[in-house]
Amino acid sequence: MHTSHPLTLVEWTTRNASRLAAPGLDAPSDELAVLHRLVGDARVVALGENSHHIREFGLLRERILRFLVRECGFTVYAVEFGAASGRAVDAWVQGGDGDLDALLMPRADGYPGQSAEGRDALRWLRSHNATASHPVRFAGLDVPAAGGSLAPALEPVAAYLADVDPGAVRYARTALDLAEPLAGGSGLASAYARLTLGPGPQDRLSATLGRLLNRVTAMREIYVRHSGHQAYERVLSDVWAAWRTDQMQRAMSELLSGAPDAADLAARDRYLADSLLGLLGRSGPDTRIVVTAHNAHIQRTASPEGSPLPRIPMGHAVAQGLGTEADYVAVALTNSSGRTVRNVPDPAHPAGMRQSAADAPEATPDSVEALFAGVPEAPALVDIRALRAHARQHGLPEPACIRMDDGFLPLPSLDAYDAVVSVPRTTVTADLGD
């Protein structure tokens, strides 16, 4: 007698994945229609990537951004970029003067300054806004300079206080002076710089930032009366950015010295989440946000004890903060083969690490990437929620990791994401070189 066996997860993916056009901007207008069902009425859709600096991910995310704006009515494009510096970029995409490269590059404030594809997405947004009846806003969500410098956040704070509370300017200026020797191209560079300091200077910086945070929160009503609510909320966000950056740098320094605390490492993700939730709170009920960030930031799940990543990533905090599961949709992007980025820590490098192109490792049998073995010919999108239901209905083994740069990250993948897009072969962006 013939016995029917349930489809394996690879077989299910092969049968049910939606094939997409090759990464690029000239795909058929209806090829992303599957996203309508996946996205539904979500207020936030997060688009990930398993590594920064990947050309195909940038092209595909821009294509999805265009679709979500044009076909689904999304109104904000929010990215892994310094929140304070992002205001000037928002003015530019609304038609303001200035040079985009000059706005993005000097402070290395993160994506989209990392890639030509990220910059092209902003150029499209500016072009779209020139004729749109409802222009799309841009928002940076991140701590300044990827955690490498307090200056992009504290300089506007000092300027604000000089007008509304001159007696408090000394806190911002003292913090800037104390933080200046720690500045680098990323939070990792600053963490290395902290290893050369004793606890005294670091404690003085943290104490000064604490005084500044107390001053700005305690004087709320006076500040709002003087400057208005919007200006106050901006400066409060910037003070929080500086405080979170200091905490993040300290935690990374402890990690480098062999005494990590994964809870403290979540300072950056907490700021990303608070920035996003705050943006929604200040916006109208029709606001819908497209977020682009690393897969590790957008995941729905908390990281387990012992993980090399923060316990509470942005996506987990946002999903919990929105309250309704359908309001947050996380779409991870990964690849089957090709080139990826290798990050090698280097305290002598301005960014604290050397980045280079490397071959993507072969998919392990328990990886998300192994699911796509039957669809090697084109990018494929799989509804992880449906795949999860099939796996658990039949008690099938689930993927236990997903590619991250040139390695694999342990992760309950079917709970972490709502959808995954796999690109058959990737190359690195021209900015990194090969």
Side-chain angles (χ1 to χ4, degrees), residues 159-233:
Y160 174 91
L161 293 175
D163 186 39
V164 304
D165 185 8
V169 173
R170 67 184 187 276
Y171 297 129
R173 288 295 172 200
T174 299
L176 280 165
D177 290 342
L178 290 169
E180 195 279 331
L182 305 174
S186 72
L188 183 58
S190 297
Y192 276 120
R194 284 175 179 260
L195 292 176
T196 66
L197 296 179
Q202 298 191 63
D203 290 345
R204 286 196 294 275
L205 175 57
S206 296
T208 302
L209 289 170
R211 294 289 300 273
L212 177 62
L213 182 59
N214 177 67
R215 182 71 163 243
V216 171
T217 53
M219 297 282 281
R220 179 191 306 268
E221 289 74 18
I222 292 174
Y223 287 9
V224 169
R225 190 182 313 130
H226 192 286
S227 67
H229 189 76
Q230 185 177 36
Y232 172 75
E233 289 296 331

Side-chain angles (χ1 to χ4, degrees), residues 87 157 229-239 271:
R87 295 172 202 134
V157 171
H229 189 76
Q230 185 177 36
Y232 172 75
E233 289 296 331
R234 282 198 301 264
V235 80
L236 178 61
S237 175
D238 290 345
V239 174
Y271 185 78

Side-chain angles (χ1 to χ4, degrees), residues 2 45 50 74 131 136 158 174 185 188 202 225 227 234 241 251 278 294 315 336 367 390 417 421:
H2 175 73
V45 172
N50 67 22
F74 277 73
T131 58
V136 176
T174 299
L188 183 58
Q202 298 191 63
R225 190 182 313 130
S227 67
R234 282 198 301 264
H294 197 285
S336 296
S367 67
H390 173 76
Y417 304 109
V421 179

Side-chain angles (χ1 to χ4, degrees), residues 376-400:
E377 72 285 353
L381 182 152
V382 63
D383 183 339
I384 292 295
R385 296 171 296 195
L387 179 62
R388 180 174 65 227
H390 173 76
R392 293 178 185 175
Q393 177 185 355
H394 299 288
L396 301 174
E398 300 181 15

Side-chain angles (χ1 to χ4, degrees), residues 104-191:
L104 294 177
M105 299 304 288
R107 284 179 173 158
D109 248 332
Y111 180 89
Q114 291 172 331
S115 71
E117 294 73 32
R119 297 190 293 278
D120 285 345
L122 294 181
R123 293 187 179 97
W124 172 79
L125 200 60
R126 179 181 168 101
S127 175
H128 168 83
N129 284 343
T131 58
S133 56
H134 299 287
V136 176
R137 304 303 301 261
F138 173 86
L141 302 177
D142 210 349
V143 295
S149 172
L150 276 62
L154 286 181
E155 286 170 354
V157 171
Y160 174 91
L161 293 175
D163 186 39
V164 304
D165 185 8
V169 173
R170 67 184 187 276
Y171 297 129
R173 288 295 172 200
T174 299
L176 280 165
D177 290 342
L178 290 169
E180 195 279 331
L182 305 174
S186 72
L188 183 58
S190 297

